[in-house]
Amino acid sequence: ATPAFKRALSTSRPALYAAAQASIPRTKLFINGEFIDSKTDKWIELRNPATQEIVTLVPEATPEELKYAADNSAEAFKTWRKTSILHRQRKMLDLQLLIRDNMDRIAHSITLEQGKTLADARGDVLRGLQVVEAACAVPHMIMGDTLEVATDMDTYTIREPLGVVAGITPFNFPAMIPLWMFPLANVIGNTCILKPSEKDPGATMILAELAQKAGIPAGVLNVVHGARDTVNFICDNEHIKAISFVGSDQAGQYIHERGSRNGKRVQANLGAKNHGIIMPDANKNHTLNQLTGAAFGAAGQRCMALSTVVFVGESKKWLPELVERAKKLKVSSGFEADADLGPLISPESLQRVERLIESGVKEGASLILDGRGLTVQKYEKGNFIGPSILTDVKTDMECYREEIFGPVLVCLNAETLDDAIDIINKNPYGNGTAIFTQSGATARKFANEVDAGQVGINVPIPVPLPMFSFTGSRGSIRGDVNFYGKSGISFYTSTKTVTALWRHEDADAHVSAVNMPTMK
Ligand code: NAD
């Protein structure tokens, strides 16, 4: 924040406050190939979560601006869909190169706005880049089927783009999740409107700039900002044929319902409570190292964080060693080279996580590591909390039922593998899960019987690479078509089936067929 802004905050004089606001950088809209200033009077303050300094003001786009974006996307679709698949593939090849060259710049924006460590932010970009690289292979993946179904008659399928599609993304992966959406949508021939999280749109704005540099034409990718009104516009607008959403249950269920009611295709990935089962025969060091990284990395703000662990039998004796590992993690600004985890996204989020820890204690769990009340040198105002571990947790406790989304590991005990699987399958969520064991038979039984989208065997965060799809089950998903991979291509296309008869001489020229054909 500028000195003027700091003064204004301390005096709270309206005129000074207005002047200070005027000096803060404002995030732009990206419509029709141009970065434009919003004319809105509603601005959302985006603060660096490690310092509380204002980074930018994010506009809530006006209804006119939203309409302009949607009309422009519809117009751009008319020409973009007629370009050749190899032309669009070339644009993606150029885009992936630009993303690679700009990885550090995007990562810097993520750490500034979202808080995660620079190393983790690079991983955020890399996992998205891999989806762009896979999108370059779309000419092979989009091919239809063909069969000669009778003499001189062929049936073939064509996968066609839908038109304008939209993406609504969460704060926790500001590069990866937009990259799950627009590259695949665009390479297929759709135009796309993105609405990044209002908490960290910076990475998306850089991606829009890179798409422009890669020669992706005006209107093929538009970026709008805002909160609920912008989302409502996307759910209702006539041009938008499909919505990809990733985020919380509350928003996702609402968007899925409202978008579907308006006849749109909606894919929605929602919240999670990912369980890891630790069998007594697991490789102890590997398991504890993996568990520590997966529970506390990114300050637990990952949809695939391994936030809940079920110790089977004697494996619970490893808890003190887990605590030792967790204690060694350094909490600081994501820009500090030795930081293992950064701050939470907002003071409200910090309060919520602290409240959920407290509820666990009140309901009878043991808090064997308490990361609350942490003050980080140089970053005293940051939204920091250290790794925390609750043990003897029961399934009716609030800390078990809620997705905490902080660096808090919730530990349960079970006597047998069957009991542990039963706990997981009774949880309403089904995003990811993992087992640690050295027994192939145990792992196989687990993979067969557990009900979750992503299953890891000695792998704590089994996010599938983009030749597969990111799957989900039960409360973690709405809609039945997954992100990226073959499923992603299905989502962004509709299939047309053509049956054609081409014959030089027509032997049946004088006979009209009035009955359904039967086998001869
Ligand atoms: P969020 O739902 O608050 O925000 C996601 C998007 O929805 C944002 O663009 C936001 O502007 C919009 N939004 C928020 N509230 C809304 C409302 N009431 N009505 C309409 N739109 C609304 O989610 P978040 O806090 O940014 O992200 C964290 C959540 O995302 C966690 O629950 C996490 O598990 C989930 N997530 C899931 C996956 C997955 O693949 N399953 C991946 C990443 C994150």
Side-chain angles (χ1 to χ4, degrees):
T2 60
F5 189 79
K6 282 182 182 154
R7 265 200 314 282
L9 283 185
S10 60
T11 58
S12 63
R13 277 162 44 200
L16 200 52
Y17 184 81
Q21 288 249 332
S23 68
I24 298 169
R26 285 161 193 248
T27 298
K28 292 182 190 282
L29 306 166
F30 180 66
I31 306 175
N32 195 22
E34 290 174 333
F35 289 92
I36 55 176
D37 292 312
S38 173
K39 296 197 166 48
T40 187
D41 55 3
K42 291 187 198 156
W43 295 89
I44 302 164
E45 286 181 352
L46 190 160
R47 290 172 186 266
N48 176 341
T51 62
Q52 307 305 343
E53 284 175 7
I54 296 191
V55 177
T56 179
L57 296 175
V58 182
E60 288 199 42
T62 65
E64 295 74 29
E65 288 162 350
L66 294 171
K67 182 172 181 319
Y68 173 41
D71 290 350
N72 178 251
S73 297
E75 198 54 35
F77 176 66
K78 291 180 190 161
T79 44
W80 180 241
R81 71 156 297 168
K82 289 192 183 140
T83 56
S84 75
I85 185 97
L86 290 185
H87 174 84
R88 298 194 298 268
Q89 181 195 40
R90 168 65 54 199
K91 301 293 166 207
M92 283 306 135
L93 285 162
D94 291 348
L95 177 63
Q96 62 79 27
L97 190 61
L98 285 164
I99 295 173
R100 248 187 311 148
D101 288 347
N102 285 272
M103 188 176 276
D104 285 346
R105 187 177 154 220
I106 304 170
H108 185 277
S109 161
I110 294 174
T111 300
L112 182 70
E113 295 186 353
Q114 199 270 357
K116 66 177 73 173
T117 65
L118 265 179
D120 204 36
R122 281 191 201 102
D124 188 332
V125 185
L126 178 74
R127 293 309 299 261
L129 172 62
Q130 289 168 339
V131 181
V132 189
E133 290 168 345
C136 295
V138 147
H140 291 93
M141 296 172 70
I142 204 173
M143 282 195 280
D145 299 318
T146 179
L147 182 69
E148 187 185 61
V149 290
T151 307
D152 302 328
M153 184 181 279
D154 303 299
T155 295
Y156 55 93
T157 57
I158 309 170
R159 285 186 173 277
E160 296 187 329
L162 301 178
V164 184
V165 302
I168 301 170
T169 62
F171 81 84
N172 66 331
F173 283 100
M176 179 182 82
I177 291 179
L179 289 170
W180 282 5
M181 300 175 182
F182 82 87
L184 200 53
N186 284 162
V187 75
I188 286 168
N190 300 285
T191 55
C192 182
I193 302 175
L194 267 187
K195 193 215 85 67
S197 170
E198 65 280 17
K199 294 174 183 158
D200 49 16
T204 293
M205 297 319 289
I206 299 173
L207 292 171
E209 185 196 311
L210 300 181
Q212 190 185 41
K213 280 205 180 114
I216 293 177
V220 170
L221 171 67
N222 285 333
V223 183
V224 297
H225 301 291
R228 198 174 167 110
D229 290 347
T230 305
V231 167
N232 283 344
F233 174 87
I234 289 171
C235 292
D236 297 345
N237 179 263
E238 55 177 343
H239 295 305
I240 297 171
K241 304 294 176 218
I243 303 172
S244 299
F245 169 86
V246 178
S248 66
D249 293 358
Q250 198 199 6
Q253 285 166 8
Y254 173 76
I255 290 166
H256 183 259
E257 198 190 309
R258 186 160 175 157
S260 302
R261 209 184 323 125
N262 287 325
K264 301 183 198 311
R265 202 177 270 192
V266 185
Q267 57 176 180
N269 277 10
L270 317 181
K273 193 87 180 169
N274 309 307
H275 296 58
I277 294 185
I278 316 292
M279 298 303 290
D281 69 351
N283 176 331
K284 186 170 81 172
N285 280 324
H286 171 82
T287 302
L288 294 178
N289 288 336
Q290 297 295 311
L291 186 55
T292 307
F296 307 118
Q301 297 178 117
R302 290 178 179 144
C303 66
M304 286 288 283
L306 207 58
S307 58
T308 309
V309 60
V310 186
F311 288 100
V312 175
E314 295 299 290
S315 66
K316 59 178 170 292
K317 291 191 176 148
W318 301 347
L319 265 168
E321 285 178 66
L322 183 67
V323 172
E324 284 318 304
R325 281 174 168 80
K327 273 185 183 165
K328 286 194 187 125
L329 297 178
K330 170 104 192 264
V331 184
S332 188
S333 155
F335 286 115
E336 296 292 335
D338 58 350
D340 293 306
L341 42 143
L344 294 183
I345 188 71
S346 64
E348 296 74 34
S349 179
L350 177 62
Q351 269 174 20
R352 182 178 168 276
V353 171
E354 289 180 341
R355 185 187 65 72
L356 284 167
I357 293 175
E358 192 55 34
S359 78
V361 174
K362 282 196 182 130
E363 289 182 281
S366 310
L367 184 59
I368 61 168
L369 183 63
D370 186 359
R372 292 174 298 174
L374 183 74
T375 309
V376 175
Q377 259 191 355
K378 290 205 296 178
Y379 303 98
E380 289 77 8
K381 293 187 181 159
N383 312 317
F384 293 105
I385 177 166
S388 304
I389 302 179
L390 282 161
T391 60
D392 299 318
V393 170
K394 302 284 181 292
T395 54
D396 58 352
M397 294 181 184
E398 194 185 1
C399 65
Y400 176 78
R401 288 183 282 112
E402 288 283 315
E403 179 185 32
I404 299 180
F405 228 54
V408 183
L409 182 64
V410 160
C411 305
L412 292 83
N413 301 317
E415 286 303 313
T416 64
L417 175 63
D418 282 317
D419 293 344
I421 293 175
D422 195 48
I423 291 174
I424 299 179
N425 288 349
K426 281 191 175 137
N427 188 280
Y429 291 112
N431 203 35
T433 186
I435 190 165
F436 292 87
T437 178
Q438 298 207 59
S439 156
T442 299
R444 200 162 194 290
K445 175 182 162 72
F446 173 73
N448 284 339
E449 294 182 12
V450 79
D451 185 0
Q454 272 79 224
V455 179
I457 297 171
N458 299 317
V459 174
I461 303 192
V463 174
L465 286 169
M467 57 295 271
F468 296 93
S469 297
F470 190 101
T471 41
S473 181
R474 297 179 287 144
S476 293
I477 191 165
R478 288 288 181 280
D480 48 14
V481 189
N482 300 123
F483 282 87
Y484 61 81
K486 286 183 196 147
S487 199
I489 291 173
S490 297
F491 184 75
Y492 289 126
T493 53
S494 62
T495 304
K496 187 179 272 174
T497 310
V498 180
T499 299
L501 176 72
W502 291 106
R503 186 174 283 167
H504 275 295
E505 288 176 30
D506 190 349
D508 303 328
H510 303 292
V511 184
S512 302
V514 290
N515 297 324
M516 297 276 285
T518 49
M519 296 289 286
K520 291 187 181 129

